[in-house]
Amino acid sequence: MSFAIGMMSGTSVDGIDVSLIEVKRRPKFVSSAFYPYPSEVKEFILKITTLEDLTYANFALGEMFAISAKKFIDSHEIEKNKILLISSHGQTIRHLPKFIKVWSVKVRGTLQIGDISVIAVRTGIITVGDFRPAHIAGGGEGAPLSPFFHREFFFSRNEKRVVVNIGGIANITFINSQPMLAFDTGPGNMVIDGVVKRLFGKEMDKDGKIASRGSANELIIKELLSHPFFKKKPPKSTGREDFGMPFIQKLISLSQEKNLSPEDIVSTASEITVRSIIDAIKRYSPYKPERIIICGGGAKNLYLLNRLKEELKVVTVSDEFGFPVKSVESAGFALMGYYLLKKIPNDPERRLLLGKVAFPHFKRVNS
């Protein structure tokens, strides 16, 4: 048996998800763990403004990812010689899918940190990462990358399926479409988490309990869904640049002008996520979905999950297919890294090999 480890920290900036998969003809999820960032780490990442901060954070996060990988290997008693690779998405710092002109060239950009050379040297295991730049170089926006592993994990010839990942940003994959259609739908947990942090001093709305106690305001939902991103046709991607603190502050200000309770504001933020996902499916699905599979941390928010079930009916969670909702992305990046090492395109739509490889210490073999 051979294994790959995948590591992921998303736009929610809550910590490092680690998954182990067995690599074979049909990849098999084995186990996972989550290593939360200390609060000071999250605050530092979200406030990076100088090149000095960015440089140090790149190496500090490399060390944190390496520590998490070693803890995972030790706690799961995995034989190191059976681990083919570690595959790390890293931590997104900026995602800029809009073209601008720099000097005489038109460019878009994305930046993930957590240096993979640090991970490789500290663990002694080949490490793959930095997947998004090749996606941009090949004509994409650098996101979403999940269509590759959504299809690998959940495709069925017997049922037309849609996969919705609700992370900090939500994205959707119509895995039965040819060519495959996939794009970001808007905020997932990002706005909800920001509102809950400001109003309740908590990191998240656990199980959607706060939203369930409130009532969403339709006028505010309508105004915020007029954001230009929602009007843009796919393919499209987004990030904290569109739905970070200015968007969160606008939502809170509009809500306070209408004297909404804190619970109402969280409910309103949650409905923005729900409505944008529903709208994306109804407007752009190339077929009538027979199954809608929800994954990502947002699948644990029962307000979001129950509202999607109420509106879309054929909703289930990825656990039913052997992949825990919080582990799909980290498991997916494990598979992406494995494909890169095998020189099999991990962006089959563009026939690209996404990612870069870092090696541990060279060990001389005596002849």
Side-chain angles (χ1 to χ4, degrees):
M1 291 188 294
S2 297
F3 301 95
I5 289 175
M7 308 181 76
M8 169 78 190
S9 181
T11 48
S12 293
V13 197
D14 53 355
I16 302 169
D17 287 298
V18 185
S19 288
L20 181 73
I21 65 167
E22 184 181 352
V23 285
K24 50 185 183 178
R25 186 176 183 86
R26 184 83 176 184
K28 180 185 176 184
F29 173 82
V30 179
S31 61
S32 63
F34 176 67
Y35 301 96
Y37 286 146
S39 57
E40 63 269 21
V41 173
K42 179 173 182 175
E43 288 171 15
F44 186 89
I45 292 169
L46 292 176
K47 292 178 180 176
I48 288 175
T49 53
T50 69
L51 288 175
E52 187 176 67
D53 285 348
L54 180 64
T55 303
Y56 282 127
N58 181 40
F59 283 87
L61 281 176
E63 298 285 0
M64 291 191 73
F65 273 74
I67 290 167
S68 297
K70 289 166 78 174
K71 280 183 181 177
F72 183 82
I73 292 166
D74 292 343
S75 65
H76 288 73
E77 299 181 343
I78 306 163
E79 293 180 44
K80 197 169 168 183
N81 62 357
K82 291 185 177 179
I83 302 171
L84 296 178
L85 73 149
I86 293 171
S87 181
S88 175
H89 168 269
Q91 177 66 63
T92 295
I93 298 300
R94 291 289 185 274
H95 183 66
L96 306 170
K98 183 180 178 181
F99 274 117
I100 67 166
K101 203 162 190 178
V102 179
W103 306 312
S104 59
V105 293
K106 239 170 57 166
V107 293
R108 48 170 55 126
T110 190
L111 179 65
Q112 289 71 43
I113 64 173
D115 194 84
I116 59 173
S117 292
V118 175
I119 302 170
V121 171
R122 297 289 181 267
T123 62
I125 300 170
I126 292 172
T127 301
V128 177
D130 206 17
F131 296 97
R132 297 187 186 275
H135 194 267
I136 288 178
E141 293 192 2
L145 300 186
S146 52
F148 160 72
F149 50 81
H150 284 170
R151 178 173 276 178
E152 291 287 330
F153 293 163
F154 304 117
F155 178 78
S156 170
R157 288 187 175 85
N158 302 318
E159 188 174 57
K160 291 178 179 177
R161 295 175 176 175
V162 174
V163 181
V164 178
N165 174 65
I166 308 176
I169 294 296
N171 58 67
I172 191 166
T173 308
F174 299 94
I175 58 176
N176 292 81
S177 60
Q178 289 290 350
M180 191 159 48
L181 176 63
F183 56 92
D184 288 347
T185 61
N189 304 312
M190 183 181 292
V191 174
I192 301 167
D193 290 350
V195 169
V196 169
K197 182 71 171 177
R198 287 285 300 275
L199 301 181
F200 292 89
K202 298 180 178 180
E203 295 301 320
M204 68 180 78
D205 182 11
K206 187 172 173 58
D207 299 326
K209 290 179 180 177
I210 299 173
S212 298
R213 296 198 301 267
S215 297
N217 184 283
E218 293 296 329
L219 291 176
I220 295 173
I221 292 168
K222 184 177 180 180
E223 179 165 349
L224 292 177
L225 287 178
S226 67
H227 187 286
F229 175 80
F230 297 116
K231 297 176 181 178
K232 185 181 176 186
K233 292 182 179 179
K236 57 182 178 175
S237 61
T238 188
R240 197 168 290 278
E241 297 73 26
D242 283 324
F243 298 108
M245 195 48 66
F247 187 90
I248 292 165
Q249 186 54 55
K250 182 178 180 180
L251 167 58
I252 292 173
S253 298
L254 289 171
S255 300
Q256 290 175 339
E257 287 172 11
K258 296 184 181 297
N259 297 314
L260 299 190
S261 71
E263 290 80 4
D264 291 344
I265 301 174
V266 176
S267 185
T268 301
S270 302
E271 276 298 313
I272 291 168
T273 293
V274 170
R275 307 281 180 94
S276 54
I277 292 170
I278 292 169
D279 181 66
I281 292 173
K282 290 185 174 179
R283 287 176 65 189
Y284 298 116
S285 182
Y287 48 81
K288 184 178 180 181
E290 296 171 318
R291 187 85 64 108
I292 298 171
I293 302 166
I294 311 295
C295 58
K300 289 186 171 291
N301 181 318
L302 297 183
Y303 180 90
L304 299 181
L305 187 61
N306 290 333
R307 283 287 293 117
L308 290 169
K309 285 181 176 179
E310 182 183 321
E311 295 291 334
L312 298 171
K313 310 303 181 190
V314 291
V315 169
T316 188
V317 291
S318 61
D319 300 69
E320 296 187 20
F321 299 87
F323 288 87
V325 293
K326 276 278 286 174
S327 304
V328 172
E329 282 199 291
S330 52
F333 281 104
L335 189 64
M336 289 193 82
Y338 174 72
Y339 269 48
L340 177 65
L341 281 191
K342 293 294 182 180
K343 298 180 182 176
I344 304 169
N346 50 15
D347 179 3
E349 302 299 315
R350 294 175 179 80
R351 302 296 297 166
L352 288 173
L353 293 169
L354 307 182
K356 298 166 187 171
V357 184
F359 294 91
H361 290 300
F362 176 72
K363 294 179 181 178
R364 184 179 296 278
V365 178
N366 294 325
S367 56

